[in-house]
Coordinates of all heavy atoms in Angstrom, one line a residue:
M239 N -1.5 5.1 18.5 CA -1.1 4.0 17.7 C 0.3 3.5 18.0 O 0.7 2.5 17.7 CB -1.1 4.3 16.2 CG -2.6 4.7 15.8 SD -2.8 4.5 14.0 CE -3.2 2.9 13.9
E240 N 1.1 4.4 18.7 CA 2.4 4.0 19.1 C 2.4 2.8 20.0 O 1.4 2.7 20.9 CB 3.1 5.2 19.8 CG 3.4 6.3 18.9 CD 3.9 7.5 19.5 OE1 4.5 7.4 20.6 OE2 4.0 8.7 18.9
G241 N 3.4 1.9 19.9 CA 3.4 0.7 20.7 C 2.5 -0.4 20.2 O 2.5 -1.4 20.9
S242 N 2.0 -0.3 19.0 CA 1.2 -1.3 18.5 C 2.1 -2.4 17.9 O 3.0 -2.2 17.1 CB 0.3 -0.7 17.4 OG -0.3 -1.8 16.6
A243 N 1.8 -3.7 18.3 CA 2.7 -4.8 17.8 C 2.5 -5.0 16.3 O 3.5 -5.1 15.6 CB 2.2 -6.1 18.4
Q244 N 1.4 -4.6 15.7 CA 1.2 -4.8 14.3 C 2.0 -3.7 13.6 O 2.6 -3.9 12.5 CB -0.3 -4.6 13.9 CG -1.1 -5.9 14.2 CD -1.6 -5.9 15.7 OE1 -1.4 -4.9 16.5 NE2 -2.2 -6.9 16.1
L245 N 1.9 -2.4 14.1 CA 2.7 -1.4 13.5 C 4.2 -1.6 13.5 O 4.9 -1.1 12.7 CB 2.3 -0.1 14.0 CG 0.9 0.5 13.6 CD1 0.5 1.8 14.3 CD2 0.8 0.7 12.1
D246 N 4.6 -2.2 14.7 CA 6.0 -2.4 14.8 C 6.6 -3.2 13.7 O 7.7 -3.1 13.3 CB 6.4 -3.0 16.1 CG 6.1 -2.0 17.3 OD1 6.0 -0.8 17.1 OD2 6.0 -2.5 18.5
V247 N 5.9 -4.2 13.1 CA 6.4 -5.1 12.2 C 5.9 -4.9 10.8 O 6.4 -5.4 9.8 CB 6.0 -6.6 12.5 CG1 6.6 -7.0 13.8 CG2 4.5 -6.8 12.5
A248 N 5.0 -4.0 10.6 CA 4.5 -3.6 9.3 C 5.5 -2.9 8.4 O 6.2 -2.0 9.0 CB 3.1 -2.8 9.5
E249 N 5.6 -3.2 7.2 CA 6.5 -2.5 6.3 C 5.9 -1.5 5.5 O 6.5 -0.5 5.0 CB 7.2 -3.6 5.4 CG 8.1 -4.5 6.2 CD 8.8 -5.6 5.3 OE1 8.7 -5.4 4.1 OE2 9.1 -6.6 5.9
R250 N 4.6 -1.8 5.0 CA 4.0 -0.9 4.1 C 2.4 -0.9 4.4 O 2.0 -1.9 4.9 CB 4.1 -1.4 2.7 CG 5.5 -1.4 2.0 CD 5.8 0.1 1.7 NE 6.9 0.1 0.7 CZ 8.1 -0.2 0.8 NH1 8.5 -0.9 1.7 NH2 9.0 0.0 -0.1
L251 N 1.7 0.2 4.0 CA 0.4 0.3 4.1 C -0.2 -0.3 2.8 O 0.2 0.2 1.7 CB -0.1 1.7 4.4 CG -1.6 2.0 4.3 CD1 -2.4 1.3 5.4 CD2 -1.9 3.6 4.2
A252 N -1.2 -1.0 2.7 CA -1.8 -1.6 1.5 C -3.3 -1.5 1.8 O -3.9 -2.2 2.5 CB -1.4 -3.0 1.2
M253 N -3.9 -0.4 1.0 CA -5.4 -0.4 1.0 C -5.9 -1.6 0.3 O -5.3 -2.2 -0.6 CB -5.8 0.8 0.3 CG -5.3 2.1 1.0 SD -6.1 2.6 2.5 CE -5.6 4.3 2.5
L254 N -7.1 -2.0 0.5 CA -7.6 -3.3 0.1 C -7.6 -3.3 -1.5 O -7.1 -4.4 -2.1 CB -9.1 -3.6 0.6 CG -9.6 -4.9 0.3 CD1 -8.8 -6.0 0.8 CD2 -11.1 -5.0 0.9
P255 N -8.1 -2.4 -2.2 CA -8.0 -2.4 -3.7 C -6.5 -2.6 -4.2 O -6.3 -3.2 -5.2 CB -8.6 -1.1 -4.2 CG -9.5 -0.6 -3.1 CD -8.7 -1.1 -1.8
D256 N -5.6 -1.8 -3.5 CA -4.2 -1.9 -3.9 C -3.6 -3.3 -3.5 O -2.7 -3.7 -4.3 CB -3.4 -0.8 -3.1 CG -4.0 0.6 -3.4 OD1 -4.4 0.8 -4.6 OD2 -4.0 1.4 -2.5
L257 N -4.1 -3.9 -2.5 CA -3.6 -5.3 -2.2 C -4.0 -6.2 -3.3 O -3.2 -7.1 -3.6 CB -4.3 -5.7 -0.8 CG -3.7 -7.0 -0.3 CD1 -2.2 -7.0 -0.1 CD2 -4.4 -7.3 1.1
F258 N -5.2 -6.2 -3.8 CA -5.7 -6.9 -4.9 C -4.7 -6.7 -6.1 O -4.3 -7.8 -6.8 CB -7.1 -6.8 -5.4 CG -8.1 -7.3 -4.3 CD1 -9.0 -6.5 -3.7 CD2 -8.1 -8.7 -4.2 CE1 -9.8 -7.0 -2.9 CE2 -9.0 -9.2 -3.2 CZ -10.0 -8.4 -2.5
G259 N -4.4 -5.5 -6.5 CA -3.4 -5.2 -7.6 C -2.1 -5.9 -7.3 O -1.5 -6.4 -8.1
Y260 N -1.6 -5.8 -6.0 CA -0.3 -6.5 -5.7 C -0.4 -7.9 -5.9 O 0.6 -8.5 -6.4 CB -0.1 -6.1 -4.2 CG 1.2 -6.8 -3.7 CD1 2.5 -6.4 -4.1 CD2 1.1 -7.7 -2.7 CE1 3.6 -7.0 -3.6 CE2 2.2 -8.4 -2.2 CZ 3.5 -8.1 -2.7 OH 4.6 -8.7 -2.2
W261 N -1.5 -8.5 -5.5 CA -1.6 -10.0 -5.6 C -1.6 -10.4 -7.1 O -1.0 -11.4 -7.4 CB -2.8 -10.5 -4.9 CG -2.7 -10.6 -3.3 CD1 -1.6 -10.6 -2.6 CD2 -3.8 -10.6 -2.5 NE1 -1.9 -10.7 -1.3 CE2 -3.3 -10.6 -1.1 CE3 -5.2 -10.6 -2.6 CZ2 -3.9 -10.7 -0.1 CZ3 -5.9 -10.6 -1.4 CH2 -5.3 -10.6 -0.2
L262 N -2.2 -9.6 -7.9 CA -2.3 -9.9 -9.3 C -0.9 -9.5 -10.1 O -0.7 -10.2 -11.1 CB -3.6 -9.2 -9.9 CG -4.8 -9.7 -9.4 CD1 -6.0 -8.8 -9.8 CD2 -5.1 -11.2 -9.8
S263 N -0.3 -8.4 -9.7 CA 0.8 -8.0 -10.5 C 2.1 -8.1 -9.9 O 3.2 -8.0 -10.5 CB 0.6 -6.5 -10.9 OG 0.7 -5.7 -9.6
G264 N 2.2 -8.1 -8.5 CA 3.4 -8.3 -7.8 C 3.9 -6.8 -7.5 O 5.0 -6.7 -6.9
R265 N 3.2 -5.8 -7.9 CA 3.7 -4.4 -7.6 C 2.7 -3.7 -6.7 O 1.5 -3.6 -7.0 CB 3.8 -3.6 -8.9 CG 4.3 -2.3 -8.7 CD 4.6 -1.6 -10.0 NE 5.0 -0.1 -9.7 CZ 4.6 0.8 -10.4 NH1 3.7 0.7 -11.4 NH2 5.0 2.1 -10.0
L266 N 3.2 -3.2 -5.7 CA 2.4 -2.5 -4.6 C 2.4 -1.0 -4.9 O 3.5 -0.4 -4.7 CB 2.8 -2.8 -3.2 CG 1.9 -2.2 -2.1 CD1 0.5 -2.6 -2.2 CD2 2.6 -2.5 -0.7
V267 N 1.3 -0.4 -5.2 CA 1.2 1.1 -5.4 C -0.1 1.4 -4.7 O -0.9 0.6 -4.3 CB 1.1 1.5 -6.9 CG1 2.4 1.2 -7.6 CG2 -0.1 0.9 -7.6
T268 N -0.2 2.7 -4.5 CA -1.5 3.2 -3.8 C -2.1 4.1 -4.9 O -1.6 5.0 -5.4 CB -1.2 4.0 -2.5 OG1 -0.4 3.2 -1.7 CG2 -2.5 4.4 -2.0
E269 N -3.4 3.8 -5.2 CA -4.2 4.5 -6.1 C -4.8 5.8 -5.4 O -5.1 5.8 -4.4 CB -5.3 3.7 -6.7 CG -6.0 4.2 -7.9 CD -7.1 5.2 -7.5 OE1 -7.8 4.9 -6.5 OE2 -7.4 6.3 -8.2
Q270 N -4.6 7.0 -6.0 CA -4.8 8.2 -5.5 C -6.2 8.4 -4.8 O -6.3 9.0 -3.8 CB -4.6 9.3 -6.5 CG -4.7 10.8 -6.1 CD -4.6 11.8 -7.2 OE1 -3.8 11.6 -8.1 NE2 -5.2 12.9 -7.1
T271 N -7.2 7.9 -5.5 CA -8.5 8.2 -4.9 C -8.8 7.3 -3.7 O -9.4 7.7 -2.7 CB -9.7 7.9 -5.9 OG1 -9.6 6.6 -6.4 CG2 -9.6 8.8 -7.1
I272 N -8.1 6.2 -3.7 CA -8.2 5.3 -2.5 C -7.3 5.9 -1.3 O -7.7 6.0 -0.2 CB -7.7 3.9 -2.8 CG1 -8.6 3.2 -3.8 CG2 -7.4 3.0 -1.5 CD1 -10.0 3.1 -3.3
A273 N -6.2 6.5 -1.7 CA -5.3 7.2 -0.7 C -6.1 8.3 -0.1 O -5.9 8.5 1.2 CB -4.0 7.7 -1.2
S274 N -6.9 9.1 -0.8 CA -7.6 10.2 -0.3 C -8.7 9.8 0.7 O -9.0 10.5 1.6 CB -8.2 11.0 -1.4 OG -9.3 10.3 -2.0
T275 N -9.1 8.6 0.7 CA -10.2 8.1 1.6 C -9.6 8.0 3.0 O -10.3 7.9 3.9 CB -10.9 6.8 1.2 OG1 -9.9 5.8 1.1 CG2 -11.5 7.0 -0.1
S276 N -8.3 7.8 3.1 CA -7.6 7.6 4.4 C -7.6 9.0 5.2 O -7.3 8.9 6.4 CB -6.2 7.1 4.3 OG -5.4 8.2 3.6
H277 N -7.7 10.1 4.6 CA -7.5 11.4 5.1 C -6.1 11.7 5.5 O -5.8 12.6 6.3 CB -8.5 11.7 6.3 CG -10.0 11.6 5.8 ND1 -10.6 12.6 5.2 CD2 -10.9 10.5 6.0 CE1 -11.9 12.2 4.9 NE2 -12.0 11.0 5.4
L278 N -5.3 10.8 5.0 CA -3.8 11.0 5.4 C -3.1 11.4 4.0 O -1.9 11.5 4.0 CB -3.2 9.7 5.8 CG -3.8 9.2 7.2 CD1 -3.1 7.8 7.4 CD2 -3.6 10.2 8.3
F279 N -3.8 11.7 2.9 CA -3.3 12.1 1.7 C -3.7 13.5 1.4 O -5.0 13.7 1.4 CB -3.7 11.0 0.6 CG -3.1 11.3 -0.7 CD1 -1.8 10.9 -0.9 CD2 -3.8 11.9 -1.8 CE1 -1.2 11.1 -2.2 CE2 -3.2 12.0 -3.0 CZ -1.9 11.7 -3.2
D280 N -2.9 14.3 1.0 CA -3.2 15.7 0.6 C -3.6 15.7 -0.9 O -2.6 15.5 -1.7 CB -2.0 16.7 1.0 CG -2.3 18.1 0.7 OD1 -3.1 18.3 -0.2 OD2 -1.8 18.9 1.4
V281 N -4.7 15.9 -1.2 CA -5.1 15.9 -2.7 C -4.7 17.1 -3.5 O -4.6 16.9 -4.7 CB -6.7 15.6 -2.8 CG1 -7.2 14.4 -2.3 CG2 -7.4 16.8 -2.2
V282 N -4.3 18.2 -2.8 CA -3.8 19.3 -3.5 C -2.3 19.1 -3.9 O -2.0 19.2 -5.1 CB -4.0 20.6 -2.6 CG1 -3.3 21.8 -3.3 CG2 -5.4 20.8 -2.4
T283 N -1.6 18.6 -3.0 CA -0.1 18.4 -3.3 C 0.2 17.1 -3.9 O 1.2 16.7 -4.3 CB 0.8 18.5 -2.0 OG1 0.4 17.6 -1.1 CG2 0.6 19.9 -1.5
R284 N -0.8 16.1 -3.7 CA -0.7 14.8 -4.2 C 0.5 14.0 -3.5 O 1.2 13.3 -4.0 CB -0.6 14.6 -5.7 CG -1.7 15.1 -6.4 CD -1.7 15.0 -7.9 NE -2.9 15.4 -8.5 CZ -3.2 15.3 -9.7 NH1 -2.3 14.5 -10.5 NH2 -4.3 15.7 -10.3
R285 N 0.6 14.3 -2.2 CA 1.6 13.6 -1.3 C 0.9 13.3 0.0 O -0.1 13.8 0.4 CB 2.6 14.7 -1.0 CG 3.4 15.1 -2.2 CD 4.4 16.2 -1.9 NE 5.7 15.5 -1.3 CZ 6.6 15.1 -2.0 NH1 6.8 15.3 -3.3 NH2 7.7 14.5 -1.4
W286 N 1.5 12.3 0.6 CA 1.1 11.9 2.0 C 1.2 13.1 2.9 O 2.1 13.8 2.9 CB 1.9 10.6 2.5 CG 1.5 9.4 1.7 CD1 2.3 8.8 0.8 CD2 0.3 8.7 1.8 NE1 1.7 7.7 0.3 CE2 0.4 7.6 0.9 CE3 -0.9 8.8 2.5 CZ2 -0.6 6.7 0.6 CZ3 -1.9 7.9 2.3 CH2 -1.7 6.8 1.4
A287 N 0.3 13.2 3.8 CA 0.2 14.4 4.8 C 1.1 14.0 6.0 O 0.7 13.5 7.0 CB -1.1 14.7 5.2
A288 N 2.4 14.2 5.7 CA 3.5 13.8 6.8 C 3.1 14.3 8.1 O 3.4 13.6 9.1 CB 4.8 14.1 6.2
G289 N 2.8 15.6 8.2 CA 2.5 16.1 9.5 C 1.4 15.4 10.3 O 1.4 15.2 11.5
V290 N 0.3 15.1 9.5 CA -0.8 14.5 10.1 C -0.4 13.0 10.5 O -0.7 12.5 11.6 CB -2.1 14.4 9.2 CG1 -3.2 13.6 9.8 CG2 -2.5 15.8 8.8
I291 N 0.3 12.3 9.7 CA 0.7 11.0 10.0 C 1.6 11.0 11.2 O 1.4 10.2 12.1 CB 1.5 10.4 8.8 CG1 0.5 10.2 7.5 CG2 2.2 9.1 9.1 CD1 1.1 9.9 6.2
E292 N 2.5 11.9 11.2 CA 3.4 12.1 12.4 C 2.6 12.3 13.7 O 2.9 11.7 14.7 CB 4.4 13.1 12.2 CG 5.5 13.1 13.3 CD 6.6 14.2 13.0 OE1 6.9 14.4 11.8 OE2 7.0 14.8 14.0
A293 N 1.7 13.3 13.6 CA 1.0 13.6 14.8 C 0.1 12.5 15.3 O -0.1 12.4 16.5 CB -0.1 14.8 14.4
L294 N -0.3 11.6 14.5 CA -1.1 10.4 14.8 C -0.3 9.2 15.3 O -0.7 8.3 15.8 CB -2.0 9.9 13.7 CG -3.1 10.8 13.3 CD1 -3.8 10.3 12.0 CD2 -4.1 11.0 14.4
G295 N 1.1 9.5 15.2 CA 2.1 8.4 15.7 C 2.1 7.2 14.8 O 2.5 6.1 15.1
I296 N 1.7 7.4 13.5 CA 1.8 6.3 12.5 C 3.3 6.3 11.8 O 3.7 7.4 11.4 CB 0.7 6.5 11.4 CG1 -0.7 6.5 12.1 CG2 0.8 5.3 10.5 CD1 -1.8 6.9 11.1
P297 N 4.0 5.2 11.8 CA 5.2 5.1 11.2 C 5.2 5.6 9.8 O 4.4 5.2 8.9 CB 5.7 3.7 11.4 CG 4.8 3.1 12.4 CD 3.5 4.0 12.4
G298 N 6.1 6.5 9.4 CA 6.2 7.2 8.0 C 6.6 6.1 7.0 O 6.2 6.2 5.9
R299 N 7.3 5.0 7.5 CA 7.7 4.0 6.6 C 6.6 3.3 5.8 O 6.7 2.7 4.8 CB 8.6 3.0 7.3 CG 7.9 2.1 8.3 CD 8.7 1.0 8.8 NE 7.9 0.2 9.8 CZ 7.5 0.5 11.0 NH1 8.0 1.6 11.5 NH2 6.8 -0.3 11.7
L300 N 5.4 3.4 6.4 CA 4.2 2.7 5.9 C 3.8 3.3 4.5 O 3.1 2.7 3.7 CB 3.1 2.6 6.8 CG 3.3 1.9 8.1 CD1 2.0 2.0 9.0 CD2 3.7 0.5 7.9
F301 N 4.2 4.5 4.3 CA 3.7 5.3 3.2 C 4.8 5.4 2.0 O 4.9 6.6 1.5 CB 3.3 6.7 3.7 CG 2.2 6.5 4.8 CD1 2.5 6.4 6.1 CD2 0.9 6.4 4.4 CE1 1.5 6.2 7.0 CE2 -0.1 6.3 5.3 CZ 0.2 6.1 6.7
R302 N 5.6 4.5 1.9 CA 6.7 4.6 0.9 C 6.3 4.1 -0.5 O 7.1 4.1 -1.4 CB 7.9 3.7 1.4 CG 8.6 4.4 2.6 CD 9.8 3.6 3.0 NE 9.4 2.2 3.3 CZ 10.2 1.3 3.9 NH1 11.5 1.6 3.9 NH2 9.7 0.1 4.1
T303 N 5.0 3.7 -0.6 CA 4.7 3.2 -2.0 C 4.4 4.4 -2.9 O 4.0 5.5 -2.4 CB 3.4 2.3 -1.9 OG1 2.4 3.1 -1.2 CG2 3.6 1.1 -1.1
D304 N 4.5 4.2 -4.2 CA 4.2 5.2 -5.2 C 2.6 5.5 -5.2 O 1.9 4.5 -5.0 CB 4.5 4.8 -6.6 CG 6.1 4.7 -6.7 OD1 6.8 5.4 -6.0 OD2 6.6 3.9 -7.6
V305 N 2.2 6.6 -5.2 CA 0.7 7.0 -5.4 C 0.5 7.3 -6.8 O 1.3 8.1 -7.5 CB 0.4 8.2 -4.6 CG1 -1.0 8.6 -4.8 CG2 0.7 8.0 -3.1
V306 N -0.4 6.5 -7.5 CA -0.6 6.6 -8.9 C -2.0 7.2 -9.2 O -2.9 7.0 -8.4 CB -0.4 5.3 -9.6 CG1 1.0 4.8 -9.4 CG2 -1.4 4.2 -9.1
S307 N -2.2 7.7 -10.3 CA -3.5 8.2 -10.9 C -4.4 7.0 -11.1 O -4.0 5.9 -11.5 CB -3.3 9.1 -12.1 OG -2.5 10.2 -11.8
P308 N -5.7 7.4 -11.0 CA -6.7 6.3 -11.4 C -6.5 5.8 -12.8 O -6.2 6.6 -13.6 CB -8.1 7.0 -11.1 CG -7.8 8.2 -10.3 CD -6.4 8.6 -10.6
G309 N -6.7 4.5 -12.9 CA -6.5 3.9 -14.2 C -5.1 3.6 -14.7 O -4.9 3.1 -15.8
T310 N -4.1 4.0 -13.8 CA -2.7 3.7 -14.2 C -2.5 2.1 -14.2 O -2.9 1.4 -13.4 CB -1.7 4.3 -13.1 OG1 -2.0 5.7 -13.2 CG2 -0.3 3.9 -13.4
R311 N -1.8 1.7 -15.3 CA -1.5 0.3 -15.4 C -0.4 0.0 -14.3 O 0.7 0.6 -14.4 CB -1.0 -0.1 -16.7 CG -0.7 -1.5 -17.0 CD -0.2 -1.8 -18.4 NE 0.3 -3.1 -18.4 CZ -0.1 -4.1 -19.3 NH1 -1.0 -3.6 -20.2 NH2 0.4 -5.2 -19.3
V312 N -0.7 -1.0 -13.5 CA 0.3 -1.3 -12.4 C 1.4 -2.2 -12.9 O 2.5 -2.1 -12.5 CB -0.5 -1.9 -11.1 CG1 0.5 -2.4 -10.1 CG2 -1.5 -0.9 -10.6
G313 N 1.0 -3.2 -13.7 CA 2.0 -4.2 -14.2 C 1.2 -5.2 -14.9 O 0.1 -5.2 -15.2
S314 N 2.0 -6.3 -15.3 CA 1.5 -7.4 -16.0 C 0.9 -8.3 -15.0 O 1.3 -8.5 -13.9 CB 2.5 -8.0 -16.8 OG 3.0 -7.2 -17.8
L315 N -0.1 -9.1 -15.4 CA -0.7 -10.2 -14.6 C 0.3 -11.4 -14.4 O 0.9 -11.8 -15.4 CB -2.0 -10.7 -15.3 CG -2.8 -11.7 -14.5 CD1 -3.5 -11.0 -13.3 CD2 -3.9 -12.2 -15.5
L316 N 0.5 -11.6 -13.1 CA 1.4 -12.7 -12.9 C 0.9 -14.0 -13.3 O -0.4 -14.2 -13.4 CB 1.6 -12.8 -11.3 CG 2.4 -11.5 -10.7 CD1 2.3 -11.8 -9.2 CD2 3.8 -11.5 -11.2
T317 N 1.7 -15.0 -13.7 CA 1.3 -16.3 -14.1 C 0.8 -17.0 -12.8 O 1.2 -16.6 -11.7 CB 2.4 -17.0 -14.7 OG1 3.5 -17.2 -13.7 CG2 2.9 -16.3 -16.0
D318 N 0.1 -18.1 -13.0 CA -0.3 -19.0 -11.8 C 0.9 -19.3 -11.0 O 0.9 -19.4 -9.8 CB -1.0 -20.3 -12.3 CG -2.3 -19.9 -12.6 OD1 -2.9 -18.8 -12.4 OD2 -3.0 -20.8 -13.4
R319 N 2.1 -19.6 -11.6 CA 3.2 -20.1 -10.9 C 3.8 -19.0 -10.0 O 4.2 -19.2 -8.8 CB 4.3 -20.6 -11.9 CG 5.5 -21.2 -11.2 CD 6.6 -21.6 -12.1 NE 7.7 -20.7 -12.0 CZ 8.1 -19.9 -13.0 NH1 7.6 -20.0 -14.2 NH2 9.2 -19.1 -12.8
H320 N 3.9 -17.8 -10.7 CA 4.3 -16.6 -9.8 C 3.4 -16.3 -8.7 O 3.8 -15.9 -7.6 CB 4.5 -15.4 -10.7 CG 5.7 -15.4 -11.6 ND1 5.5 -15.6 -12.9 CD2 7.0 -15.5 -11.3 CE1 6.8 -15.7 -13.5 NE2 7.6 -15.6 -12.5
Q321 N 2.0 -16.5 -8.9 CA 1.1 -16.2 -7.9 C 1.2 -17.2 -6.7 O 1.1 -16.8 -5.5 CB -0.3 -16.2 -8.4 CG -0.7 -15.0 -9.2 CD -2.0 -15.1 -9.8 OE1 -2.7 -15.9 -9.6 NE2 -2.3 -14.0 -10.7
R322 N 1.5 -18.3 -7.0 CA 1.7 -19.4 -5.9 C 3.0 -19.2 -5.2 O 3.1 -19.4 -3.9 CB 1.7 -20.8 -6.5 CG 0.3 -21.3 -6.9 CD 0.3 -22.9 -7.2 NE 1.3 -23.2 -8.2 CZ 1.1 -23.3 -9.5 NH1 -0.1 -23.0 -10.0 NH2 2.1 -23.6 -10.4
Q323 N 4.0 -18.7 -5.8 CA 5.3 -18.4 -5.1 C 5.2 -17.1 -4.3 O 5.9 -17.0 -3.3 CB 6.4 -18.2 -6.2 CG 6.7 -19.5 -6.8 CD 7.7 -19.2 -8.0 OE1 7.9 -18.0 -8.3 NE2 8.4 -20.2 -8.4
R324 N 4.2 -16.3 -4.5 CA 4.1 -15.0 -3.8 C 3.6 -15.3 -2.4 O 2.6 -15.9 -2.2 CB 3.2 -14.1 -4.5 CG 3.3 -12.6 -4.0 CD 2.9 -11.7 -5.0 NE 3.7 -10.5 -5.3 CZ 5.0 -10.5 -5.4 NH1 5.8 -11.5 -5.2 NH2 5.7 -9.4 -5.7
R325 N 4.2 -14.7 -1.4 CA 3.8 -15.0 0.0 C 3.4 -13.6 0.6 O 4.3 -12.7 0.6 CB 4.9 -15.7 0.8 CG 5.3 -17.0 0.2 CD 4.3 -18.1 0.7 NE 4.7 -19.4 0.4 CZ 4.3 -20.2 -0.6 NH1 3.4 -19.6 -1.4 NH2 4.7 -21.4 -0.8
V326 N 2.3 -13.5 1.3 CA 2.0 -12.3 1.9 C 1.9 -12.7 3.4 O 1.2 -13.6 3.8 CB 0.7 -11.8 1.5 CG1 0.2 -10.6 2.3 CG2 0.8 -11.4 0.0
S327 N 2.7 -12.1 4.2 CA 2.7 -12.4 5.7 C 1.7 -11.5 6.3 O 1.3 -10.4 5.9 CB 4.1 -12.1 6.3 OG 4.5 -10.8 6.2
T328 N 1.1 -12.2 7.4 CA 0.1 -11.4 8.2 C 0.5 -11.4 9.6 O 1.2 -12.3 10.0 CB -1.3 -12.1 8.0 OG1 -1.2 -13.4 8.4 CG2 -1.7 -12.0 6.5
V329 N 0.1 -10.5 10.3 CA 0.2 -10.4 11.8 C -1.1 -10.8 12.4 O -2.1 -10.3 12.1 CB 0.7 -9.0 12.2 CG1 0.8 -8.9 13.7 CG2 1.9 -8.6 11.5
E330 N -1.0 -11.7 13.4 CA -2.3 -12.1 14.1 C -2.3 -11.6 15.4 O -1.4 -11.3 16.0 CB -2.4 -13.7 14.0 CG -2.4 -14.2 12.7 CD -2.6 -15.7 12.6 OE1 -2.8 -16.4 13.7 OE2 -2.3 -16.3 11.6

């Protein structure tokens, strides 16, 4: 994965369910059961598996989001105005 243009500019990892939560609340977190599906999350320690991530050449900075338990309230629903102001950049 090293040398990937997308990884070079990426700031955070956002799993699809977490991305929807971000768009609706403005807060990016990773839900624990979703994190576990990546096989990069240690369910025993409830931490990202830094050794595995490093061995795969994935930048550690992508995993700086809080990992929360299922059902955790992420935040309040953004108003339409706030949702329109929110910009999500993509790499093509």
Side-chain angles (χ1 to χ4, degrees):
M239 299 198 88
E240 293 177 17
S242 166
Q244 289 84 3
L245 284 178
D246 288 343
V247 298
E249 295 178 17
R250 297 280 199 302
L251 171 72
M253 304 281 198
L254 192 55
D256 302 324
L257 186 57
F258 285 118
Y260 173 69
W261 286 338
L262 293 170
S263 71
R265 182 169 176 229
L266 181 59
V267 298
T268 303
E269 192 270 325
Q270 181 179 331
T271 61
I272 296 300
S274 71
T275 65
S276 71
H277 299 284
L278 300 175
F279 187 76
D280 185 331
V281 295
V282 174
T283 64
R284 296 185 179 192
R285 301 178 71 95
W286 291 107
V290 176
I291 291 167
E292 184 179 325
L294 292 172
I296 303 171
R299 71 177 181 280
L300 300 178
F301 302 91
R302 291 184 297 187
T303 57
D304 293 331
V305 178
V306 299
S307 297
T310 298
R311 183 182 171 126
V312 174
S314 299
L315 186 63
L316 294 176
T317 64
D318 285 343
R319 188 178 108 242
H320 286 111
Q321 288 176 359
R322 283 193 305 269
Q323 290 174 345
R324 191 155 231 42
R325 301 281 189 255
V326 176
S327 61
T328 58
V329 176
E330 296 180 18

